[in-house]
Each structure stands twice: as C-alpha cells, then as structure tokens.
Amino acid sequence: MSDIKAALLAQAIETPSWAYGNSGTRFKVFAQRGVPRDPYEKLADAAQVHAFTGVAPSVALHIPWDRVDDYADLAAHASNLGVRIGAINSNVFQDDDYMLGSVTSPDARVRRKATDHLLECVDVMDATGSDTLKLWFSDGTNYPGQDDIRSRQDRLAESLAEVYDRLGEHQRFLLEYKLFEPAFYTTDVPDWGTAYAHCVKLGPKAQVVVDTGHHAPGTNIEFIVAFLLREGKLGGFDFNSRFYADDDLMAGAADPFQLFRIMFEVVRGGGYTEDVAFMLDQCHNIEPKIAGQIRSVMNVQEATAKALLVDRAALAAAQSAGDVLGANGVFMDAYNTDVRPLLAEVRAERGLDPDPMAAYARSGYFEKIVAERVGGAQAGWGA
Ligand code: PSV
Ligand code: MN
C-alpha cells in the first residue's frame, strides 16, 4: 500500500488556463462571477486547485488567449503562486485567414502565417520554461472534392518538420487528433493513426496526445493508449468527458469506468511517469470553474488509485490460465473499491485537508475573487 500511496502523491495533473475563463457553446457563453480578467488571474485560480489537491502543479497556456508582453514575468508570477507553466497550446483556428485550413491551407501565405505562429509558441516555451508544445489543427474540408486530401497531408508534414527542427533539446511537441469538428467531411488529423504516422517520421520529440473527447462513440480508447505506449509515442492526455461529441465536460463525470480502464493501461504500460502528461482540457460552462477543476482532478486521482490497486500478479495468473471470469473479477474488484478513504489518507499525509472540495468552499477564495474582480473584461473562450 505504501507504494500506491507514494505513486498517488507523485501524480501531477495539469489544469488548462482556459478552464478558468468563461465558456459555453456556439449558442451562448455564460458569464460567471469572479472570472479572471487576464492570464495572471487565471494562474492565481489554478494555484488554488494545486493548493487544495496537491497534485496540480502546472498550468497549460493557450496562445493567443494567454498572450502577455512579458512571458518570463508570467512564469515568475506562476512560480510565486507555487505553480509552473505547462504545455503551450497553439491556436491556428481562430483567424479569418484559416477558413480553408492553417498549415494545410491551399494558400502558401496562410500556411506561412500558421507555421510562424507555431514557431512563436516555441519562443513562448523558451521564455516560460515550458517543455511541451501542443498542436491541434482544425484543418479539413467540408465537401468532397473541395481540396486534395493527399496534398494536405504533404503540407501538414512540411509544417510539422519545420516546427520539429525548431524544438530545443528538452522540448517536444504533442500532436492532437480529433475525429471531426469544425471540419465535417475530411479532417487532416482525424485519428491516432494519422498522428502516429507523422510523429514516427519526425522522431522522438514528436508524440501523440489523446484527448478523450475526440473519438467516435464506442471507440476503445484504452487500446489506443496501450498501443501508443508500447511504441513510445504516447505523449499525454487531454482528459475530459463526453456524452455525444467533444463535450469537454469534467473528466470522469460521464464514464468513470472508461477513465479507470485508460489509467490501468497507463500503469500497465509503464506510462505512469513524468513523460506522459496528464492534462485536463475542459470547460465549465454551467458549474463553478475552480471547484469544477478540483472535482476533475479528484476524479482522475480516483481512477488512478483504482488502476494502481489492480492485483497485477493475480490478473496475470488468471490471464495465463485462460480464466476469463477470474481475470475480469480481479479487474472489477479494483474498480469497485472505494478509494476515497485512501486518497483522504494520502492528502492528510501531505498536510492537506482530506476533502479538497469542502476545504476550498470554506476558504473564502471564491467570495474574495467575486468581490475583487470588478471592472475589466472577463476572460472567455477566445481571450
Ligand atoms: C480542440 O477541440 C481542443 O481539444 C484542442 O486541445 C484545443 O487547443 C482545445 O480543444 C481548446 O479548448
Ligand atoms: Mn484537447
């Protein structure tokens, strides 16, 4: 048990800056009280999640949503708050120029502009000390015949190679795939296989990131995780929950069993190290944001604890004996264990309140930011 406790204490779950800003759907972005007005305030909120859970020490930025004049100053601010800058997320999907694609656009000028933005993100990594660039492309087409599918792959490969060459010794990029949206006919990086093929060709600093919301319903995500880990190509996760499409709901809220199965493959595949980044990519459209992040972090912790509890020796014995029901029983025993007392103990051992949700609610932080953050423009999806 002490091994499991040590492993749980060592976990690091990265929260996204954009989770603290206002968000919504294409129908309506709802404004909530106390929401940050700038990246500095987003970091302050993220630091609360770390303060109460002890396992959320880094914060992902999204450029240009988190653009500031002085990134070194932003990194110093993070450090003063007890957190650090995590992955830098590029954004080549919110500019009129990108209507027909960014790095895969048929227009060479647009491709240049998009690649230059990705290179700018590496500059931000240099200035903040971040070691991870996250690339997601909304590129694709809406109609058959609209553009040449294969040429778009060539353009993608060309841009990725340029960015890859710009990476420093301790930097890497994670290529994210997504089945569809906003493109509805073809998407240029629609699945893990496409992302994997590009990353293999580029080399060890290119890895795949699995956003749990980016698959067709029924996809066996843990198989993808097992496969990528075996190939040394799993760079990390964007955890979130989905009921229908890319819903970006709280991790572990829709299907905690799936999250457990994924975490089991991570543990089984030796990915429970710093090399695989456990990031959240979610929005809190209708629930309070900081508390929503704390809940999500706790959900990931619970899935992790259950995955660590699987009796691997008993499982292997049942598997090699062909004992189908026995093996499934070992697996389900771990899933059905209530790990909340164990996690409460782990937190207490770290000097934290065993109940982060209640401790945060008692802290008065929410009331403080509601009172203080008046005036200015609240950060929202897109800023
Ligand atoms: C795209 O849907 C995505 O998952 C990418 O990670 C983006 O950068 C992020 O969402 C923005 O919320
Ligand atoms: Mn994502």
Side-chain angles (χ1 to χ4, degrees), residues 44-109:
D45 290 0
Q48 291 296 304
V49 178
H50 184 46
F52 288 100
T53 63
V55 292
S58 63
V59 190
L61 299 186
H62 214 295
I63 309 297
W65 302 343
D66 296 317
R67 199 167 257 155
V68 292
D69 291 337
D70 186 342
Y71 287 102
D73 184 63
L74 189 68
H77 175 71
S79 164
N80 289 337
L81 292 162
V83 292
R84 63 184 155 74
I85 306 296
I88 303 300
N89 288 248
S90 57
N91 181 327
V92 282
F93 52 89
Q94 282 185 313
D95 190 299
D96 284 342
D97 271 339
Y98 300 141
M99 189 168 74
L100 300 181
S102 63
V103 296
T104 68
S105 165
D107 183 338
R109 180 191 64 81

Short mmCIF file of all heavy atoms in Angstrom, two decimals, residues 44-109:
data_model
loop_
_atom_site.label_atom_id
_atom_site.label_comp_id
_atom_site.label_asym_id
_atom_site.label_seq_id
_atom_site.Cartn_x
_atom_site.Cartn_y
_atom_site.Cartn_z
N ALA A 44 -3.65 32.47 -10.83
CA ALA A 44 -3.98 32.54 -9.40
C ALA A 44 -5.06 31.50 -9.07
O ALA A 44 -5.01 30.82 -8.04
CB ALA A 44 -4.46 33.95 -9.05
N ASP A 45 -6.03 31.36 -9.97
CA ASP A 45 -7.10 30.38 -9.74
C ASP A 45 -6.56 28.95 -9.83
O ASP A 45 -6.91 28.08 -9.02
CB ASP A 45 -8.24 30.58 -10.75
CG ASP A 45 -9.01 31.86 -10.48
OD1 ASP A 45 -8.66 32.59 -9.53
OD2 ASP A 45 -9.97 32.14 -11.23
N ALA A 46 -5.69 28.74 -10.81
CA ALA A 46 -5.10 27.40 -10.97
C ALA A 46 -4.29 27.04 -9.72
O ALA A 46 -4.27 25.87 -9.28
CB ALA A 46 -4.21 27.36 -12.20
N ALA A 47 -3.65 28.03 -9.13
CA ALA A 47 -2.84 27.78 -7.92
C ALA A 47 -3.72 27.30 -6.77
O ALA A 47 -3.27 26.55 -5.89
CB ALA A 47 -2.08 29.05 -7.53
N GLN A 48 -4.98 27.74 -6.76
CA GLN A 48 -5.92 27.25 -5.73
C GLN A 48 -6.17 25.75 -5.89
O GLN A 48 -6.25 25.02 -4.91
CB GLN A 48 -7.26 28.01 -5.84
CG GLN A 48 -7.17 29.45 -5.44
CD GLN A 48 -6.81 29.60 -3.97
OE1 GLN A 48 -7.51 29.07 -3.10
NE2 GLN A 48 -5.75 30.30 -3.67
N VAL A 49 -6.31 25.33 -7.13
CA VAL A 49 -6.56 23.90 -7.38
C VAL A 49 -5.38 23.09 -6.86
O VAL A 49 -5.55 22.04 -6.23
CB VAL A 49 -6.81 23.65 -8.89
CG1 VAL A 49 -7.02 22.16 -9.16
CG2 VAL A 49 -8.01 24.45 -9.39
N HIS A 50 -4.18 23.61 -7.10
CA HIS A 50 -2.99 22.91 -6.60
C HIS A 50 -2.93 22.97 -5.07
O HIS A 50 -2.61 21.97 -4.41
CB HIS A 50 -1.73 23.52 -7.21
CG HIS A 50 -0.48 22.79 -6.83
ND1 HIS A 50 -0.38 21.41 -6.87
CD2 HIS A 50 0.73 23.24 -6.36
CE1 HIS A 50 0.83 21.04 -6.47
NE2 HIS A 50 1.51 22.12 -6.14
N ALA A 51 -3.26 24.13 -4.52
CA ALA A 51 -3.16 24.28 -3.06
C ALA A 51 -4.07 23.27 -2.34
O ALA A 51 -3.70 22.75 -1.29
CB ALA A 51 -3.55 25.71 -2.66
N PHE A 52 -5.23 23.00 -2.90
CA PHE A 52 -6.18 22.11 -2.20
C PHE A 52 -6.05 20.64 -2.58
O PHE A 52 -6.49 19.78 -1.83
CB PHE A 52 -7.62 22.61 -2.40
CG PHE A 52 -7.88 23.87 -1.63
CD1 PHE A 52 -7.85 25.10 -2.25
CD2 PHE A 52 -8.09 23.82 -0.25
CE1 PHE A 52 -8.05 26.27 -1.52
CE2 PHE A 52 -8.29 24.98 0.49
CZ PHE A 52 -8.27 26.21 -0.15
N THR A 53 -5.46 20.36 -3.75
CA THR A 53 -5.33 18.94 -4.14
C THR A 53 -3.88 18.45 -3.99
O THR A 53 -3.65 17.25 -3.84
CB THR A 53 -5.73 18.72 -5.61
OG1 THR A 53 -4.85 19.47 -6.45
CG2 THR A 53 -7.17 19.15 -5.86
N GLY A 54 -2.93 19.37 -4.13
CA GLY A 54 -1.51 18.99 -4.02
C GLY A 54 -0.97 18.28 -5.25
O GLY A 54 0.20 17.90 -5.28
N VAL A 55 -1.80 18.10 -6.27
CA VAL A 55 -1.33 17.34 -7.44
C VAL A 55 -1.58 18.07 -8.76
O VAL A 55 -1.61 17.45 -9.82
CB VAL A 55 -1.97 15.93 -7.52
CG1 VAL A 55 -1.47 15.04 -6.39
CG2 VAL A 55 -3.48 16.00 -7.54
N ALA A 56 -1.73 19.40 -8.71
CA ALA A 56 -1.97 20.14 -9.95
C ALA A 56 -0.95 21.27 -10.09
O ALA A 56 -1.30 22.45 -10.10
CB ALA A 56 -3.40 20.69 -9.97
N PRO A 57 0.34 20.90 -10.20
CA PRO A 57 1.40 21.90 -10.11
C PRO A 57 1.66 22.72 -11.38
O PRO A 57 2.46 23.64 -11.35
CB PRO A 57 2.64 21.06 -9.78
CG PRO A 57 2.36 19.74 -10.43
CD PRO A 57 0.87 19.53 -10.34
N SER A 58 1.01 22.37 -12.50
CA SER A 58 1.31 23.12 -13.72
C SER A 58 0.03 23.54 -14.44
O SER A 58 -1.03 22.94 -14.25
CB SER A 58 2.22 22.30 -14.65
OG SER A 58 1.55 21.13 -15.06
N VAL A 59 0.18 24.57 -15.24
CA VAL A 59 -0.97 25.18 -15.92
C VAL A 59 -0.65 25.32 -17.40
O VAL A 59 0.37 25.91 -17.78
CB VAL A 59 -1.27 26.57 -15.34
CG1 VAL A 59 -2.60 27.09 -15.87
CG2 VAL A 59 -1.27 26.55 -13.82
N ALA A 60 -1.52 24.78 -18.24
CA ALA A 60 -1.33 24.91 -19.69
C ALA A 60 -1.79 26.29 -20.15
O ALA A 60 -2.80 26.81 -19.67
CB ALA A 60 -2.14 23.84 -20.40
N LEU A 61 -1.03 26.87 -21.06
CA LEU A 61 -1.43 28.16 -21.65
C LEU A 61 -1.93 27.93 -23.07
O LEU A 61 -1.57 26.94 -23.72
CB LEU A 61 -0.25 29.14 -21.70
CG LEU A 61 0.40 29.56 -20.38
CD1 LEU A 61 1.46 30.64 -20.65
CD2 LEU A 61 -0.63 30.07 -19.38
N HIS A 62 -2.72 28.86 -23.55
CA HIS A 62 -3.23 28.81 -24.92
C HIS A 62 -2.87 30.14 -25.57
O HIS A 62 -3.25 31.19 -25.06
CB HIS A 62 -4.75 28.64 -24.87
CG HIS A 62 -5.30 27.82 -25.99
ND1 HIS A 62 -5.25 28.23 -27.30
CD2 HIS A 62 -5.92 26.62 -25.99
CE1 HIS A 62 -5.83 27.30 -28.06
NE2 HIS A 62 -6.23 26.31 -27.29
N ILE A 63 -2.12 30.07 -26.65
CA ILE A 63 -1.68 31.30 -27.32
C ILE A 63 -2.46 31.44 -28.62
O ILE A 63 -2.46 30.48 -29.41
CB ILE A 63 -0.16 31.25 -27.63
CG1 ILE A 63 0.65 30.88 -26.37
CG2 ILE A 63 0.33 32.56 -28.21
CD1 ILE A 63 0.56 31.87 -25.23
N PRO A 64 -3.17 32.53 -28.85
CA PRO A 64 -3.03 33.85 -28.22
C PRO A 64 -3.95 34.15 -27.03
O PRO A 64 -3.89 35.27 -26.52
CB PRO A 64 -3.38 34.80 -29.37
CG PRO A 64 -4.39 34.07 -30.17
CD PRO A 64 -4.02 32.61 -30.07
N TRP A 65 -4.77 33.23 -26.57
CA TRP A 65 -5.67 33.60 -25.47
C TRP A 65 -4.89 34.11 -24.25
O TRP A 65 -5.41 34.93 -23.49
CB TRP A 65 -6.54 32.40 -25.04
CG TRP A 65 -7.38 31.81 -26.12
CD1 TRP A 65 -7.70 32.40 -27.32
CD2 TRP A 65 -8.00 30.52 -26.13
NE1 TRP A 65 -8.49 31.54 -28.06
CE2 TRP A 65 -8.70 30.39 -27.36
CE3 TRP A 65 -8.06 29.47 -25.22
CZ2 TRP A 65 -9.42 29.25 -27.70
CZ3 TRP A 65 -8.79 28.33 -25.55
CH2 TRP A 65 -9.46 28.22 -26.78
N ASP A 66 -3.70 33.58 -24.06
CA ASP A 66 -2.91 33.97 -22.89
C ASP A 66 -1.70 34.81 -23.27
O ASP A 66 -0.65 34.76 -22.61
CB ASP A 66 -2.47 32.72 -22.11
CG ASP A 66 -3.65 31.96 -21.54
OD1 ASP A 66 -4.56 32.62 -21.00
OD2 ASP A 66 -3.69 30.72 -21.64
N ARG A 67 -1.84 35.56 -24.35
CA ARG A 67 -0.70 36.38 -24.79
C ARG A 67 -0.44 37.50 -23.77
O ARG A 67 -1.37 38.16 -23.31
CB ARG A 67 -1.02 36.99 -26.16
CG ARG A 67 0.19 37.47 -26.90
CD ARG A 67 -0.15 37.77 -28.36
NE ARG A 67 0.32 36.72 -29.25
CZ ARG A 67 -0.22 36.45 -30.44
NH1 ARG A 67 -1.25 37.14 -30.86
NH2 ARG A 67 0.28 35.51 -31.20
N VAL A 68 0.83 37.66 -23.39
CA VAL A 68 1.24 38.77 -22.49
C VAL A 68 2.49 39.40 -23.07
O VAL A 68 3.13 38.82 -23.95
CB VAL A 68 1.54 38.27 -21.04
CG1 VAL A 68 0.27 37.79 -20.34
CG2 VAL A 68 2.60 37.17 -21.04
N ASP A 69 2.85 40.57 -22.55
CA ASP A 69 4.04 41.25 -23.07
C ASP A 69 5.31 40.55 -22.61
O ASP A 69 6.30 40.51 -23.31
CB ASP A 69 4.08 42.72 -22.57
CG ASP A 69 2.98 43.52 -23.24
OD1 ASP A 69 2.53 43.10 -24.32
OD2 ASP A 69 2.55 44.53 -22.65
N ASP A 70 5.25 40.03 -21.39
CA ASP A 70 6.48 39.51 -20.79
C ASP A 70 6.21 38.10 -20.23
O ASP A 70 5.69 37.94 -19.12
CB ASP A 70 6.91 40.48 -19.67
CG ASP A 70 8.27 40.10 -19.09
OD1 ASP A 70 8.71 38.94 -19.30
OD2 ASP A 70 8.87 40.96 -18.42
N TYR A 71 6.59 37.10 -21.01
CA TYR A 71 6.30 35.71 -20.60
C TYR A 71 7.17 35.27 -19.42
O TYR A 71 6.74 34.46 -18.60
CB TYR A 71 6.47 34.75 -21.78
CG TYR A 71 5.35 34.87 -22.78
CD1 TYR A 71 5.52 35.58 -23.96
CD2 TYR A 71 4.11 34.32 -22.52
CE1 TYR A 71 4.49 35.72 -24.87
CE2 TYR A 71 3.06 34.45 -23.42
CZ TYR A 71 3.26 35.14 -24.60
OH TYR A 71 2.23 35.28 -25.49
N ALA A 72 8.36 35.82 -19.34
CA ALA A 72 9.22 35.46 -18.20
C ALA A 72 8.57 35.95 -16.91
O ALA A 72 8.60 35.28 -15.87
CB ALA A 72 10.61 36.06 -18.38
N ASP A 73 7.94 37.12 -17.01
CA ASP A 73 7.26 37.68 -15.84
C ASP A 73 6.05 36.81 -15.46
O ASP A 73 5.80 36.56 -14.28
CB ASP A 73 6.80 39.11 -16.17
CG ASP A 73 6.17 39.79 -14.98
OD1 ASP A 73 6.88 39.97 -13.97
OD2 ASP A 73 4.96 40.11 -15.04
N LEU A 74 5.35 36.32 -16.47
CA LEU A 74 4.20 35.44 -16.21
C LEU A 74 4.67 34.15 -15.53
O LEU A 74 4.04 33.66 -14.59
CB LEU A 74 3.46 35.13 -17.52
CG LEU A 74 2.13 34.39 -17.38
CD1 LEU A 74 1.07 35.28 -16.71
CD2 LEU A 74 1.62 33.91 -18.75
N ALA A 75 5.79 33.64 -16.01
CA ALA A 75 6.34 32.40 -15.42
C ALA A 75 6.77 32.66 -13.97
O ALA A 75 6.57 31.81 -13.08
CB ALA A 75 7.51 31.89 -16.25
N ALA A 76 7.34 33.84 -13.73
CA ALA A 76 7.76 34.18 -12.36
C ALA A 76 6.53 34.31 -11.45
O ALA A 76 6.54 33.86 -10.30
CB ALA A 76 8.56 35.49 -12.37
N HIS A 77 5.48 34.89 -12.00
CA HIS A 77 4.22 35.01 -11.25
C HIS A 77 3.70 33.61 -10.88
O HIS A 77 3.28 33.38 -9.73
CB HIS A 77 3.21 35.75 -12.15
CG HIS A 77 1.82 35.86 -11.60
ND1 HIS A 77 1.49 36.67 -10.53
CD2 HIS A 77 0.65 35.26 -11.97
CE1 HIS A 77 0.20 36.56 -10.27
NE2 HIS A 77 -0.33 35.71 -11.13
N ALA A 78 3.75 32.70 -11.85
CA ALA A 78 3.30 31.32 -11.58
C ALA A 78 4.12 30.73 -10.44
O ALA A 78 3.58 30.15 -9.49
CB ALA A 78 3.45 30.47 -12.84
N SER A 79 5.41 30.92 -10.53
CA SER A 79 6.30 30.34 -9.53
C SER A 79 6.02 30.93 -8.13
O SER A 79 6.00 30.20 -7.13
CB SER A 79 7.73 30.57 -10.01
OG SER A 79 8.62 30.38 -9.01
N ASN A 80 5.75 32.23 -8.09
CA ASN A 80 5.40 32.86 -6.79
C ASN A 80 4.12 32.27 -6.20
O ASN A 80 3.93 32.24 -4.99
CB ASN A 80 5.19 34.37 -6.96
CG ASN A 80 6.50 35.08 -7.22
OD1 ASN A 80 7.57 34.56 -6.87
ND2 ASN A 80 6.45 36.23 -7.85
N LEU A 81 3.26 31.80 -7.10
CA LEU A 81 1.98 31.22 -6.64
C LEU A 81 2.12 29.73 -6.33
O LEU A 81 1.15 29.07 -5.94
CB LEU A 81 0.92 31.39 -7.74
CG LEU A 81 0.44 32.81 -8.06
CD1 LEU A 81 -0.25 32.85 -9.42
CD2 LEU A 81 -0.52 33.28 -6.97
N GLY A 82 3.30 29.18 -6.60
CA GLY A 82 3.52 27.76 -6.31
C GLY A 82 3.17 26.83 -7.45
O GLY A 82 3.03 25.62 -7.25
N VAL A 83 3.01 27.38 -8.66
CA VAL A 83 2.76 26.53 -9.83
C VAL A 83 3.76 26.88 -10.93
O VAL A 83 4.60 27.77 -10.75
CB VAL A 83 1.30 26.69 -10.36
CG1 VAL A 83 0.30 26.11 -9.37
CG2 VAL A 83 0.96 28.15 -10.67
N ARG A 84 3.68 26.17 -12.06
CA ARG A 84 4.56 26.49 -13.17
C ARG A 84 3.79 26.39 -14.48
O ARG A 84 2.69 25.84 -14.52
CB ARG A 84 5.80 25.59 -13.18
CG ARG A 84 5.49 24.15 -13.36
CD ARG A 84 6.75 23.27 -13.27
NE ARG A 84 6.40 21.93 -12.88
CZ ARG A 84 5.81 21.04 -13.67
NH1 ARG A 84 5.53 21.36 -14.91
NH2 ARG A 84 5.49 19.83 -13.23
N ILE A 85 4.39 26.90 -15.53
CA ILE A 85 3.74 26.87 -16.84
C ILE A 85 3.95 25.48 -17.46
O ILE A 85 5.07 24.97 -17.50
CB ILE A 85 4.34 27.95 -17.78
CG1 ILE A 85 4.27 29.34 -17.13
CG2 ILE A 85 3.63 27.93 -19.14
CD1 ILE A 85 2.90 29.87 -16.86
N GLY A 86 2.86 24.90 -17.91
CA GLY A 86 2.94 23.58 -18.53
C GLY A 86 2.97 23.68 -20.04
O GLY A 86 3.73 24.48 -20.61
N ALA A 87 2.13 22.91 -20.70
CA ALA A 87 2.15 22.86 -22.16
C ALA A 87 1.67 24.19 -22.75
O ALA A 87 0.77 24.83 -22.23
CB ALA A 87 1.25 21.73 -22.65
N ILE A 88 2.31 24.55 -23.86
CA ILE A 88 1.85 25.71 -24.62
C ILE A 88 0.97 25.18 -25.75
O ILE A 88 1.42 24.39 -26.59
CB ILE A 88 3.04 26.51 -25.20
CG1 ILE A 88 4.00 26.95 -24.07
CG2 ILE A 88 2.55 27.70 -26.00
CD1 ILE A 88 3.39 27.84 -23.00
N ASN A 89 -0.28 25.60 -25.74
CA ASN A 89 -1.24 25.15 -26.76
C ASN A 89 -1.30 26.20 -27.87
O ASN A 89 -1.56 27.37 -27.62
CB ASN A 89 -2.63 24.99 -26.15
CG ASN A 89 -2.72 23.78 -25.25
OD1 ASN A 89 -3.41 22.81 -25.54
ND2 ASN A 89 -2.00 23.81 -24.12
N SER A 90 -1.06 25.75 -29.09
CA SER A 90 -1.11 26.67 -30.22
C SER A 90 -2.56 26.86 -30.66
O SER A 90 -3.42 26.04 -30.37
CB SER A 90 -0.28 26.11 -31.36
OG SER A 90 -0.76 24.82 -31.70
N ASN A 91 -2.77 27.92 -31.38
CA ASN A 91 -4.13 28.19 -31.86
C ASN A 91 -4.05 28.73 -33.29
O ASN A 91 -3.71 29.88 -33.52
CB ASN A 91 -4.79 29.22 -30.93
CG ASN A 91 -6.21 29.55 -31.33
OD1 ASN A 91 -6.54 29.56 -32.52
ND2 ASN A 91 -7.05 29.84 -30.36
N VAL A 92 -4.34 27.85 -34.24
CA VAL A 92 -4.41 28.29 -35.64
C VAL A 92 -5.82 27.99 -36.16
O VAL A 92 -5.99 27.46 -37.25
CB VAL A 92 -3.31 27.63 -36.52
CG1 VAL A 92 -1.97 28.29 -36.30
CG2 VAL A 92 -3.20 26.13 -36.26
N PHE A 93 -6.79 28.32 -35.30
CA PHE A 93 -8.18 28.05 -35.71
C PHE A 93 -9.13 29.23 -35.50
O PHE A 93 -10.32 29.08 -35.69
CB PHE A 93 -8.71 26.79 -35.00
CG PHE A 93 -8.56 26.75 -33.49
CD1 PHE A 93 -9.55 27.28 -32.67
CD2 PHE A 93 -7.46 26.16 -32.89
CE1 PHE A 93 -9.44 27.22 -31.28
CE2 PHE A 93 -7.33 26.09 -31.51
CZ PHE A 93 -8.32 26.62 -30.71
N GLN A 94 -8.58 30.38 -35.11
CA GLN A 94 -9.50 31.49 -34.85
C GLN A 94 -9.11 32.75 -35.59
O GLN A 94 -9.07 33.84 -35.02
CB GLN A 94 -9.56 31.77 -33.35
CG GLN A 94 -10.44 30.77 -32.62
CD GLN A 94 -10.60 31.11 -31.17
OE1 GLN A 94 -9.61 31.41 -30.49
NE2 GLN A 94 -11.81 31.06 -30.68
N ASP A 95 -8.80 32.60 -36.85
CA ASP A 95 -8.43 33.76 -37.65
C ASP A 95 -9.10 33.57 -39.01
O ASP A 95 -9.15 32.45 -39.53
CB ASP A 95 -6.90 33.78 -37.80
CG ASP A 95 -6.39 35.06 -38.40
OD1 ASP A 95 -6.77 35.36 -39.56
OD2 ASP A 95 -5.59 35.75 -37.74
N ASP A 96 -9.62 34.64 -39.56
CA ASP A 96 -10.32 34.54 -40.85
C ASP A 96 -9.46 33.87 -41.92
O ASP A 96 -9.97 33.17 -42.80
CB ASP A 96 -10.76 35.92 -41.34
CG ASP A 96 -11.98 36.42 -40.56
OD1 ASP A 96 -12.66 35.58 -39.93
OD2 ASP A 96 -12.23 37.64 -40.58
N ASP A 97 -8.15 34.11 -41.82
CA ASP A 97 -7.25 33.51 -42.82
C ASP A 97 -7.34 31.98 -42.84
O ASP A 97 -6.97 31.34 -43.82
CB ASP A 97 -5.79 33.89 -42.49
CG ASP A 97 -5.39 35.21 -43.15
OD1 ASP A 97 -6.06 35.60 -44.14
OD2 ASP A 97 -4.43 35.84 -42.67
N TYR A 98 -7.79 31.40 -41.73
CA TYR A 98 -7.76 29.93 -41.62
C TYR A 98 -9.07 29.26 -42.06
O TYR A 98 -9.29 28.08 -41.75
CB TYR A 98 -7.42 29.52 -40.17
CG TYR A 98 -6.07 30.04 -39.71
CD1 TYR A 98 -5.89 30.51 -38.41
CD2 TYR A 98 -4.97 30.05 -40.56
CE1 TYR A 98 -4.66 30.98 -37.98
CE2 TYR A 98 -3.73 30.53 -40.14
CZ TYR A 98 -3.58 30.99 -38.85
OH TYR A 98 -2.37 31.45 -38.42
N MET A 99 -9.89 29.98 -42.77
CA MET A 99 -11.19 29.41 -43.16
C MET A 99 -11.02 28.11 -43.95
O MET A 99 -11.77 27.16 -43.76
CB MET A 99 -11.98 30.42 -43.99
CG MET A 99 -13.40 29.99 -44.24
SD MET A 99 -14.43 31.31 -44.89
CE MET A 99 -13.85 31.40 -46.57
N LEU A 100 -9.99 28.03 -44.79
CA LEU A 100 -9.79 26.81 -45.59
C LEU A 100 -8.65 25.95 -45.05
O LEU A 100 -8.18 25.03 -45.72
CB LEU A 100 -9.54 27.17 -47.06
CG LEU A 100 -10.66 27.96 -47.76
CD1 LEU A 100 -10.30 28.24 -49.21
CD2 LEU A 100 -11.99 27.20 -47.68
N GLY A 101 -8.23 26.27 -43.85
CA GLY A 101 -7.15 25.49 -43.24
C GLY A 101 -6.01 26.40 -42.79
O GLY A 101 -5.95 27.57 -43.17
N SER A 102 -5.14 25.86 -41.97
CA SER A 102 -3.98 26.64 -41.49
C SER A 102 -2.73 26.09 -42.15
O SER A 102 -2.40 26.48 -43.28
CB SER A 102 -3.92 26.61 -39.96
OG SER A 102 -3.71 25.29 -39.47
N VAL A 103 -2.10 25.12 -41.52
CA VAL A 103 -0.87 24.56 -42.13
C VAL A 103 -1.17 23.71 -43.36
O VAL A 103 -0.27 23.36 -44.12
CB VAL A 103 -0.04 23.74 -41.11
CG1 VAL A 103 0.48 24.63 -39.99
CG2 VAL A 103 -0.84 22.57 -40.55
N THR A 104 -2.43 23.37 -43.57
CA THR A 104 -2.78 22.61 -44.77
C THR A 104 -3.52 23.45 -45.80
O THR A 104 -4.02 22.91 -46.80
CB THR A 104 -3.66 21.39 -44.42
OG1 THR A 104 -4.93 21.87 -43.98
CG2 THR A 104 -3.03 20.52 -43.35
N SER A 105 -3.63 24.74 -45.54
CA SER A 105 -4.35 25.62 -46.47
C SER A 105 -3.77 25.52 -47.88
O SER A 105 -2.55 25.38 -48.04
CB SER A 105 -4.25 27.07 -45.97
OG SER A 105 -4.63 27.96 -46.99
N PRO A 106 -4.60 25.66 -48.90
CA PRO A 106 -4.05 25.70 -50.26
C PRO A 106 -3.24 26.96 -50.53
O PRO A 106 -2.47 27.01 -51.49
CB PRO A 106 -5.30 25.65 -51.15
CG PRO A 106 -6.48 25.90 -50.27
CD PRO A 106 -6.07 25.64 -48.86
N ASP A 107 -3.35 27.96 -49.66
CA ASP A 107 -2.68 29.25 -49.85
C ASP A 107 -1.34 29.26 -49.08
O ASP A 107 -1.33 29.18 -47.85
CB ASP A 107 -3.63 30.35 -49.33
CG ASP A 107 -3.07 31.75 -49.54
OD1 ASP A 107 -1.84 31.90 -49.68
OD2 ASP A 107 -3.87 32.69 -49.53
N ALA A 108 -0.25 29.41 -49.82
CA ALA A 108 1.08 29.36 -49.20
C ALA A 108 1.27 30.46 -48.16
O ALA A 108 1.94 30.25 -47.14
CB ALA A 108 2.17 29.46 -50.28
N ARG A 109 0.67 31.61 -48.38
CA ARG A 109 0.81 32.71 -47.42
C ARG A 109 0.17 32.33 -46.08
O ARG A 109 0.72 32.58 -45.01
CB ARG A 109 0.14 33.98 -47.99
CG ARG A 109 0.23 35.19 -47.05
CD ARG A 109 -0.66 36.33 -47.50
NE ARG A 109 -2.07 36.00 -47.47
CZ ARG A 109 -2.84 36.02 -46.38
NH1 ARG A 109 -2.32 36.37 -45.21
NH2 ARG A 109 -4.11 35.68 -46.42
#
